[in-house]
Amino acid sequence: MIFARPPIVVFAICLQLAVGSAAAAALRPDIDLPAGEWQAIKTVITDQLAALKNEDGARAFTFATEGLRTQFGTPENFLRMVHSGYQALLDARYTEFLDGAVIDGAPVQPLRLVMPDNTVLVALYQMAKESDGRWHIAGCAIAPSTVKAAQHSARRRIADAPASIRRYVAAQGGAGAPIPRAHAAASPTAA
């Protein structure tokens, strides 16, 4: 899952994703894809990630383009490459799709990765629709993000909660206690 694009194109992709959708639209000369196509792309990425996390190299391999399958030859080689260069995809504690963009005719779907230590990375998936009419992953580049992960701890959420919730939590034995539905609705920080 390696981008065949020069570093300047990867930089342009990162810049475009960083400047926001209104400014990005002004920078992007390509026509956007319909929502259904973006959903199909996200499904391919989600399915490949699930296969990778289950160590199912054969299934994960099917989501790569024919060119990548030829390059790596076997699912085992593909899985080794993922573990050696893309472990962040497997280690992320949270993932979130960001708005995709069509750049130089190629759809790029970013995926935010929040790591166990709360650092944030962005996986930029380049996609290609192949002769079978389906989207396949043509490459992936992982880049650092300027976004910081929220530092939510149970203690902080409880400290910010209304007094009635703090009293309930204390009576139940601490921050791990479930918050009753009536209280949870009253405070967005309680969830």
Side-chain angles (χ1 to χ4, degrees), residues 115-130:
M115 305 311 294
D117 67 355
N118 282 331
T119 58
V120 180
L121 303 170
V122 177
L124 301 167
Y125 283 89
Q126 183 178 351
M127 305 299 294
K129 195 174 247 189
E130 295 201 304

Side-chain angles (χ1 to χ4, degrees), residues 3 5-6 8-18 24 27-33 38 99-110 124-127:
F3 265 123
R5 301 229 183 245
I8 192 69
V9 173
V10 174
F11 174 75
I13 292 167
C14 293
L15 176 65
Q16 189 170 10
L17 295 171
L27 293 173
R28 185 176 65 218
D30 297 38
I31 296 173
D32 202 5
L33 295 174
W38 287 113
D99 290 336
V102 177
I103 300 171
D104 291 337
V108 176
Q109 176 59 64
L124 301 167
Y125 283 89
Q126 183 178 351
M127 305 299 294

Side-chain angles (χ1 to χ4, degrees), residues 53 87-95 112-116:
K53 288 180 181 184
Q87 189 64 38
L89 294 170
L90 307 176
D91 292 345
R93 68 173 176 81
Y94 174 77
T95 61
R112 181 178 292 147
L113 308 169
V114 179
M115 305 311 294

Side-chain angles (χ1 to χ4, degrees), residues 33 38 70 114 121 131 147-149 152 162 168 173 184 187:
L33 295 174
W38 287 113
T70 300
V114 179
L121 303 170
S131 60
V147 173
K148 301 284 185 201
H152 291 286
Y168 174 82
S187 172

